Amino acid sequence: MTALINREVFARDPLHNRIPNDGVAKIVEPIRPEEWDVLRYELSTFVCEGEYRRGLEIILDTYLKNVGKATQPAVWVSGFYGSGKSHLVRVLEFLWRNPKFPDGATARSVAQLPDTVNERLRELDTAGRRAGGLWSAAGTLGAGAGESVRLAILGIVFLAAGLPARYAQGRFVLWLRQSGFHDGVKDAVEAEGRDFRRELRDLYVSPYLARALLSVYPDFASGEAEARGLIKAQYPNPDDISDDEMLDTMAGVLALESEDSSEAPCSLLVLDELQQYLGDNADRTLRVQNVVEACSSRFQGRLLFVSTGQSALQATPQLQKLQGRYTVQVSLSDTDVEEVVRRVVLRKDPTKRAELSRVLQDNSGEIDRQLAETRIRPTDGDRPVLLADYPLLPARRRFWERVLRAIDRAGAAGQLRTQLRIVQEAAEEVALREVGNVVSADFIYEQLSGSMLQTGVLLREVDETVRAQRDGTEEGELRYRLCALIFLIGQLPREAGSDVGLRANPEMLADLMVEDIREGSASLRGSIPGLLEEMLDSGKLMFVDGEYRLQTREGAEWTAAYQGARARIFGDDARIGGDRSRELRDAVGKALKGLSFTHGESKTPRKIEPQFGSEVPKPGSAAVPVWVRDEWSVSEKQARAEAQSAGRESAVVHVFLPRRDAETLKSALAGYEAASEVIAGRPVPTTQEGREARSAMLGRQQGERARLDGALDAVLRNTSVFLGGGSEVSGGSPRAAVEEAGRAALERLYPSFPEADHARWSLAMKRGREGAG
């Protein structure tokens, strides 16, 4: 019986299935045949479910409820980079005006929409017939208009109406069309062998435009020179315009695009990635707010603003300023992205689902064991989608999602847009292998390396090191894959709350790399440790805090400096002793910080006074003396003997710190001090490689600090507390024991205190100060 291969389980053969837009939805008007093909693909594969469906319903409901009213609320669509915001609003725009394809199909007939959305679109058509039809404009606000939000928005509106984007040229062509001169002027310019659009760029100086205008409108001027002067005076190129000028111009465009020139059409204006345009610029945010307010209140509720951003409006101080204008909010989630990927790329052939399910069930042990100690491990919630995600395994899919977010510093490789492409290529990669062969997690490195090099996430030197492992052998290929994974794991955040617990150690690397789940990972797990040690010995990798990391030139310099400093400090017994004493004092000080208690019925406040050194402290103040010593300077036997010989009248509390985990303490102390020296002794790097090296050293410093604190804690947990006479006090913790001993020591420090103690001493003192007899 012929074995089933992966390509046969898909509804669409991955070797022939292609994503025309490369997974990126662009807000552009289709002109060429290939652009119409992209639009057809985007509409036909749009998964109108979850938040996408809800988003369309909310946006259309908002518009229909407020059309004809004084103000039309604006809509804010949020979601992380690549969550499908651009895809959603692009689909919305074409569903809004429902254009025809060259073959006669309409946008709405191509898209597969639920009845709830179709009903709202029919209501929109009805509203359009009562007004001047349906019209839309969409784009991103760029730097072309400088700081003028009004000019930037008008540029989008002009382009949607077939006008030049620049204000002067757009206004001029708008006047030509309004006056009925446009076609005559254009034909006259082209009759002289000139390109009309090109001549518009030279609006103020083009003799061809001036002559063409005079040919259709002789009374415009007495000659070409005067015509050019009048054009320049009438249509200047300002840095900014007023709200009234913007609104009047927009009204002119809408009248031009309306089916009834006396009525504005039902219009949609999409501003994609508005948050990127705003940044942290407070003035720009205020101008956008004012412009949206002015436009939404001008056109009888017929103009709807829809804008997108990565964050919800409550997320940043700048966006919060827009909440009063963008009162309707749509938020996209990870779940929506996953469903799109499953439906568009990974959809399975119904006739092959049973056989594929058997293979997955038979090998569930291998699947479930992967990354079990991390927050992205397989869970019971994965079972319903395991077949839908195949050939991606649940833990690896979550790994990819986090890698995409971690490396996407410029917002260029987000989830939906990139995952569609990568998953498509991954399906192609395993298409000709037998069912049971899945996609390795390192596959994503090859697909992302180009963009990571461009954005600076991946240094060229590091990429060369990774690729240099490929020498044509199986071991070389495995070394390459290991290095690629180590790099990707190193990009994941380690901050509390964001750390998923994934580390580049042999066990987790094997979990991410096994390809044939039927054979298991025993062979791979056997060969990975040796290869890692080999690359460690050759200087390709470094081992930090229990995991492997890629070595860089500057990283090697920092590591060499650290190792030299550590060896020097470790061998300096005098320094180690001094540093250890300081750390022990600090640890005791933190443990006993704020410790105080009251004495007798008068509740007289008392405190303790820790003292260090070889000389027994002498009581000389109201504080209880606490003599702290450690086993590095005195034996436990001697400490006990001295406490015993002090006698039962001694008010001194004896604290003894045992020599626990001495080598760990010494090693961590040397490591921490060495890392601190290297960091303090080198200037803050300005290169990416240097910043990564310093970051690694900071991580080493933090790791050694944690190890040092753990060793100190082990010493404190085993601390002994004695009273004079040798009796040992145990209170569950050093602090509790010292407090109990301190209370007992008070009786020795103030033996006659009960004779004068009284609960009302504070009142007697008060009256005495007031002069009472």
Side-chain angles (χ1 to χ4, degrees), residues 465-773:
T465 298
V466 173
R467 296 183 183 282
Q469 305 311 307
R470 277 179 160 165
D471 57 7
T473 66
E474 288 186 12
E475 285 193 351
E477 184 66 20
L478 196 52
R479 287 196 303 270
Y480 162 77
R481 294 174 58 197
L482 284 168
C483 288
L485 264 184
I486 290 169
F487 171 80
L488 294 175
I489 292 173
Q491 303 308 302
L492 298 180
R494 298 295 175 89
E495 297 83 5
S498 300
D499 188 353
V500 297
L502 185 59
R503 298 293 182 266
N505 57 43
E507 295 76 19
M508 294 190 185
L509 289 169
D511 285 344
L512 290 168
M513 291 176 64
V514 63
E515 293 178 291
D516 192 338
I517 58 175
R518 300 167 304 173
E519 292 184 2
S521 56
S523 174
L524 194 63
R525 294 179 192 280
S527 57
I528 284 179
L531 290 174
L532 291 172
E533 288 300 313
E534 175 189 317
M535 289 189 284
L536 185 65
D537 293 340
S538 64
K540 299 297 189 300
L541 299 177
M542 53 185 176
F543 191 71
V544 181
D545 298 332
E547 67 174 321
Y548 292 89
R549 297 182 187 176
L550 291 179
Q551 186 67 276
T552 62
R553 176 185 54 78
E554 194 159 346
E557 294 175 2
W558 282 68
T559 300
Y562 166 79
Q563 291 172 342
R566 187 184 183 283
R568 170 173 48 79
I569 295 171
F570 193 85
D572 188 342
D573 290 339
R575 173 168 178 177
I576 287 289
D579 289 344
R580 181 181 57 240
S581 295
R582 185 194 69 241
E583 290 289 346
L584 289 172
R585 289 187 182 209
D586 290 346
V588 170
K590 290 178 183 177
L592 302 182
K593 184 178 181 181
L595 180 58
S596 63
F597 32 79
T598 58
H599 190 190
E601 294 182 7
S602 61
K603 299 189 183 302
T604 302
R606 305 296 186 191
K607 62 180 181 178
I608 64 166
E609 190 174 80
Q611 299 182 44
F612 302 81
S614 58
E615 298 294 328
V616 59
K618 297 179 180 180
S621 68
V624 175
V626 177
W627 189 19
V628 183
R629 290 187 292 174
D630 61 72
E631 197 173 0
W632 284 271
S633 57
V634 62
S635 69
E636 182 178 4
K637 182 178 179 181
Q638 180 182 348
R640 284 180 179 271
E642 291 180 352
Q644 187 173 8
S645 65
R648 302 177 69 84
E649 291 77 24
S650 172
V652 176
V653 175
H654 299 253
V655 173
F656 178 75
L657 306 175
R659 186 186 178 100
R660 290 297 178 95
D661 296 333
E663 288 305 311
T664 299
L665 179 58
K666 180 180 180 180
S667 173
L669 189 57
Y672 174 71
E673 292 296 328
S676 300
E677 275 192 15
V678 173
I679 294 168
R682 286 173 170 258
V684 177
T686 57
T687 65
Q688 178 66 22
E689 181 182 341
R691 286 192 291 269
E692 288 184 356
R694 186 174 190 273
S695 177
M697 191 58 62
L698 285 169
R700 187 190 293 267
Q701 181 194 43
Q702 293 167 1
E704 295 291 358
R705 181 72 249 181
R707 199 157 67 100
L708 177 57
D709 289 341
L712 292 169
D713 186 57
V715 172
L716 290 180
R717 285 198 310 270
N718 293 278
T719 295
S720 298
V721 179
F722 307 101
L723 282 168
S727 60
E728 185 170 355
V729 180
S730 58
S733 70
R735 182 184 181 92
V738 169
E739 180 177 359
E740 183 177 340
R743 292 184 184 278
L746 283 175
E747 307 303 323
R748 304 177 180 187
L749 187 61
Y750 302 104
S752 301
F753 186 81
E755 299 175 12
D757 186 28
H758 195 282
R760 303 186 69 185
W761 255 114
S762 59
L763 179 59
M765 293 290 291
K766 179 175 181 292
R767 290 183 176 178
R769 292 191 186 100
E770 293 173 350

Side-chain angles (χ1 to χ4, degrees), residues 24-102:
V24 181
K26 298 179 180 178
I27 306 297
V28 295
E29 184 71 18
I31 299 174
R32 301 188 301 273
E34 55 269 28
E35 291 172 340
W36 282 105
D37 290 341
V38 168
L39 177 60
R40 183 185 294 274
Y41 175 84
E42 291 174 339
L43 289 168
S44 64
T45 59
F46 177 63
V47 180
C48 195
E49 296 180 4
E51 289 301 323
Y52 298 117
R53 171 178 177 169
R54 180 173 174 272
L56 285 180
E57 291 173 351
I58 289 174
I59 293 170
L60 292 171
D61 278 344
T62 296
Y63 184 81
L64 292 169
K65 289 177 182 177
N66 293 280
V67 66
K69 295 184 179 180
T71 300
Q72 178 66 246
V75 179
W76 182 265
V77 180
S78 64
F80 52 86
Y81 275 116
S83 59
K85 302 183 301 295
S86 297
H87 192 190
L88 175 64
V89 295
R90 176 168 163 83
V91 168
L92 169 65
E93 192 213 349
F94 285 98
L95 293 178
W96 185 280
R97 53 190 169 90
N98 199 26
K100 284 188 177 182
F101 284 79

Side-chain angles (χ1 to χ4, degrees), residues 8 99 130 182 211 230 307 319 333 345 366 410 440 512 527 545 588 613 636 641 651 657 682 719:
E8 296 173 340
R130 291 172 183 159
H182 178 269
R211 282 200 297 272
L230 288 173
S307 302
L319 294 180
S333 66
V345 179
E366 177 63 36
S440 174
L512 290 168
S527 57
D545 298 332
V588 170
E636 182 178 4
L657 306 175
R682 286 173 170 258
T719 295

Side-chain angles (χ1 to χ4, degrees), residues 111-428:
Q112 300 178 32
L113 303 172
D115 291 341
T116 54
V117 174
N118 280 321
E119 288 170 4
R120 288 165 172 82
L121 290 173
R122 285 192 290 270
E123 289 183 47
L124 180 65
D125 289 340
T126 301
R129 285 192 292 272
R130 291 172 183 159
L134 301 175
W135 187 76
S136 65
T140 56
L141 295 179
E147 286 298 310
S148 174
V149 173
R150 301 178 186 89
L151 292 178
I153 290 177
L154 270 183
I156 294 173
V157 172
F158 281 164
L159 284 176
L163 305 173
R166 293 181 65 84
Y167 182 69
Q169 286 84 349
R171 282 287 310 280
F172 175 68
V173 175
L174 176 61
W175 173 73
L176 290 179
R177 291 178 62 177
Q178 289 172 327
S179 304
F181 300 146
H182 178 269
D183 292 345
V185 171
K186 181 175 181 292
D187 292 343
V189 168
E190 292 176 349
E192 294 197 51
R194 310 298 295 184
D195 182 84
F196 182 60
R197 288 275 178 180
R198 187 179 299 276
E199 292 304 314
L200 285 172
R201 298 174 195 165
D202 301 323
L203 179 64
Y204 301 146
V205 297
S206 171
Y208 305 100
L209 276 177
R211 282 200 297 272
L213 180 56
L214 288 173
S215 69
V216 299
Y217 185 17
D219 294 337
F220 181 73
S222 59
E224 291 180 25
E226 184 182 356
R228 289 196 297 271
L230 288 173
I231 291 174
K232 184 174 183 179
Q234 185 66 28
Y235 304 105
N237 194 26
D239 293 331
D240 200 0
I241 58 176
S242 67
D243 282 349
D244 287 341
E245 290 175 299
M246 179 197 69
L247 293 171
D248 289 343
T249 303
M250 192 176 291
V253 174
L254 294 179
L256 197 67
E257 295 298 312
S258 177
E259 297 172 4
D260 180 352
S261 59
S262 64
E263 296 280 356
C266 292
S267 304
L268 169 70
L269 180 51
V270 174
L271 303 180
D272 196 26
E273 297 296 359
L274 179 59
Q275 185 178 352
Q276 279 189 325
Y277 173 75
L278 298 177
D280 58 359
N281 191 318
D283 291 339
R284 188 177 280 182
T285 302
L286 179 60
R287 287 194 290 271
V288 166
Q289 179 183 358
N290 292 337
V291 167
V292 174
E293 175 73 33
C295 293
S296 298
S297 305
R298 169 68 181 266
F299 300 102
Q300 298 177 314
R302 293 180 183 173
L303 175 60
L304 173 65
F305 270 86
V306 176
S307 302
T308 71
Q310 299 80 43
S311 305
L313 293 180
Q314 300 84 2
T316 71
Q318 292 300 331
L319 294 180
Q320 288 172 10
K321 299 173 183 177
L322 299 176
Q323 290 185 91
R325 183 59 263 155
Y326 287 90
T327 56
V328 180
Q329 300 181 34
V330 174
S331 178
L332 304 181
S333 66
D334 292 5
T335 306
D336 302 307
V337 174
E338 294 164 7
E339 186 60 28
V340 170
V341 173
R342 291 170 187 142
R343 292 278 295 275
V344 173
V345 179
L346 299 178
R347 187 157 54 93
K348 303 302 185 297
D349 183 341
T351 64
K352 302 296 191 299
R353 292 174 64 90
E355 189 170 350
L356 176 58
S357 293
R358 274 196 305 274
V359 173
L360 294 175
Q361 180 61 37
D362 291 345
N363 297 280
S364 59
E366 177 63 36
I367 296 172
D368 292 342
R369 68 181 290 182
Q370 295 183 2
L371 305 181
E373 297 179 0
T374 72
R375 288 168 52 196
I376 59 174
R377 62 185 175 275
T379 67
D380 291 341
D382 295 327
R383 300 188 187 283
V385 297
L386 184 60
L387 186 144
D389 281 344
Y390 180 86
L392 302 182
L393 296 182
R396 297 179 187 181
R397 172 172 54 77
R398 288 189 279 271
F399 170 66
W400 280 11
E401 291 169 356
R402 282 159 177 79
V403 166
L404 285 168
R405 295 187 195 180
I407 68 169
D408 194 15
R409 298 177 184 173
Q415 294 283 353
L416 177 59
R417 64 187 71 171
T418 305
Q419 279 201 46
L420 283 171
R421 174 178 58 82
I422 292 175
V423 174
Q424 169 64 36
E425 293 173 357
E428 293 178 28

